[in-house]
Structures are given as C-alpha cells and as structure tokens.
C-alpha cells in the first residue's frame, strides 16, 4: 500500500468509534475521542470529503506540539476538529496532549500490550466482517470506499488495537502499584507533568487563551 495513503487512512481509521462496533471491544476507563454517531453511508461520504479537504490546508503535516518528544501535527488537530465537532479547540488540543502523554508514559515504562488480546480482537473482527455480522455493513462500505481490502483494513486496525491495549496494560500496571484508583485523574496527572512544547504560536494561543 502506498505510504501516503496508509498514513491518511490510518488517521481516519484511528478516529472512528465505528471501528469497534463489530467486536464490541471497549476498555473499562478508556476515554476515546469520538465524533457524533456515524450511522449511514451518506455521513461517511461527508466525513471522507472533509478529511480529503484537510490535506489542502497549507503546512498540514507540520508538527505543532511536542509532548515528551512525541509529535502532534496540524493534521492531527484538524482531523480531531472534524470528529469532535461541537467541542472547543482548546478541549481538542488538551485531548491530544493527554493521549500523547499517556503514550509517552507507556514507552517510558516499557509497557507492552497483550498480544493474545490483540489477536483475539482482530480475529473476532475478521470473523464479523467475513460473516457479514449485524452492524458490519457500514464498516464494509467504508472499507470499500477507501479502496482497501479487508486484510489491509485489519492491518491498520491492528495498529489502533496496539495503542488501545497498551493503554489498558499501563493502567493495570498503575493500579497494581496502588498509586491511582481513578483513570481520568491519572491521565490528567500525566498531561500536567508532561514536557509540552508548542511549536505553533497560534495553537499555543488557543490552548492558553
């Protein structure tokens, strides 16, 4: 698959809650940035068009924030503005910072997700797609609209699942230590102590305004 296409699709795939519909996969205490419910192909077309237009924004791939040396790009921000329509830009930026701070902490602690859980999740999703289980129609339509095969889609979904289960493993590690009992409090603490460097002045003004 073309690298540019893969990166673009990965952003879309990583942002949609509907990717979890078939498997029913959700983590306790997992906070997922999601858009309004996507329920039909017309809405998918509208969202896809907005995503395509994002690439026309000047300097769209520029890094605008560094969180513990992990980058947030202008594209990350603009994509989340589409999927979190109705939220204030400041809230979206904070959500992105939280996500990166959590990822950075997992890397720092050498936390790895459960391979068995990822494999089981992908197997359940694969079976749901190939068997055309109830609720799979929209996802199948979406995959076809992107020009992907089911296996290419599952490859991208595996990357998303890795991050999701890595966060789960991190939280289990924290609970075992007894440091925190509330996930939101813990993630907020990571965001507060993270080394956040704003590269883009306008983004910083939005966040601190």
């Amino acid at each position: 698959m073309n690298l540019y296409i893969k990166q673009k699709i990965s952003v879309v795939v990583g942002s949609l809650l509907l990717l979890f519909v078939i498997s029913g996969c959700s983590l306790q205490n997992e906070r997922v940035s999601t858009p309004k419910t996507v329920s039909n192909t017309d809405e998918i077309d509208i969202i896809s068009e907005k995503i395509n237009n994002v690439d026309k924004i000047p300097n769209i791939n520029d890094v605008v924030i560094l969180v513990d040396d992990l980058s947030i790009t202008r594209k990350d921000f603009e994509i989340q503005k589409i999927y979190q329509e109705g939220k204030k830009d400041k809230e979206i930026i904070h959500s992105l910072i939280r996500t990166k701070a959590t990822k950075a902490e997992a890397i720092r602690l050498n936390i790895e997700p459960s391979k068995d859980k990822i494999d089981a999740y992908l197997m359940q999703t694969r079976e749901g797609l190939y068997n055309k289980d109830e609720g799979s129609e929209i996802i199948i339509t979406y995959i076809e609209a992107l020009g992907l095969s089911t296996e290419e889609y599952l490859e991208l979904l595996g990357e998303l699942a890795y991050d999701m289960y890595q966060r789960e493993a991190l939280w289990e590690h924290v609970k075992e230590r007894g440091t925190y009992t509330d996930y939101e409090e813990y993630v907020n603490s990571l965001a507060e102590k993270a080394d956040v460097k704003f590269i883009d002045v306008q983004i910083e003004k939005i966040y601190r305004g």
Side-chain angles (χ1 to χ4, degrees):
M1 188 191 308
N2 179 279
L3 179 60
Y4 169 76
I5 297 297
K6 180 176 179 179
Q7 290 173 336
K8 181 176 178 181
I9 294 170
S10 184
V11 172
V12 180
V13 170
S15 302
L16 283 173
L17 180 60
L18 64 84
L19 303 179
F20 296 98
V21 171
I22 295 175
S23 67
C25 182
S26 61
L27 302 182
Q28 184 178 10
N29 299 308
E30 176 71 357
R31 180 174 176 175
V32 182
S33 298
T34 60
K36 57 186 178 182
T37 303
V38 178
S39 59
N40 59 59
T41 55
D42 288 339
E43 289 183 75
I44 289 175
D45 289 340
I46 292 170
I47 291 174
S48 297
E49 183 177 356
K50 288 181 179 180
I51 294 294
N52 288 332
N53 288 334
V54 163
D55 286 321
K56 299 175 183 178
I57 298 174
N59 306 314
I60 190 61
N61 292 309
D62 284 2
V63 174
V64 295
I65 308 172
L66 287 173
V67 181
D68 292 332
D69 293 326
L70 298 181
S71 62
I72 297 172
T73 66
R74 193 179 310 281
K75 175 178 278 189
D76 295 330
F77 175 55
E78 294 295 335
I79 292 291
Q80 286 304 312
K81 284 172 64 176
I82 294 171
Y83 285 113
Q84 298 190 62
E85 184 179 356
K87 279 195 174 183
K88 294 180 179 179
D89 288 354
K90 181 175 181 176
E91 293 176 323
I92 293 171
I93 294 169
H94 184 62
S95 176
L96 288 166
I97 290 173
R98 280 167 48 98
T99 299
K100 290 297 182 180
T102 305
K103 178 71 173 180
E105 183 70 358
I107 293 172
R108 186 184 72 82
L109 295 174
N110 294 317
I111 300 293
E112 292 291 333
S114 165
K115 186 177 183 302
D116 288 342
K117 287 185 177 181
I118 293 173
D119 289 345
Y121 169 55
L122 293 177
M123 181 177 293
Q124 185 175 3
T125 303
R126 177 181 281 105
E127 290 175 354
L129 289 172
Y130 281 114
N131 294 333
K132 298 188 184 328
D133 287 352
E134 183 180 355
S136 66
E137 295 85 358
I138 287 181
I139 298 180
I140 292 171
T141 299
Y142 187 62
I143 294 170
E144 292 173 349
L146 291 171
L148 292 174
S149 68
T150 299
E151 292 305 316
E152 287 172 330
Y153 166 80
L154 289 168
E155 179 184 347
L156 293 173
L157 192 58
E159 296 172 11
L160 176 62
Y162 180 95
D163 287 342
M164 185 177 67
Y165 283 111
Q166 185 180 49
R167 289 193 292 271
E168 181 189 59
L170 172 63
W171 179 233
E172 290 300 322
H173 172 79
V174 171
K175 287 195 297 184
E176 286 176 3
R177 294 173 61 189
T179 312
Y180 288 89
T181 57
D182 183 83
Y183 181 77
E184 290 297 310
E185 181 184 354
Y186 172 61
V187 175
N188 282 331
S189 74
L190 293 178
E192 288 172 6
K193 72 180 183 181
D195 181 17
V196 180
K197 298 176 182 177
F198 287 90
I199 311 301
D200 186 278
V201 175
Q202 292 303 317
I203 295 291
E204 183 174 12
K205 284 183 179 179
I206 292 171
Y207 186 68
R208 302 198 186 283

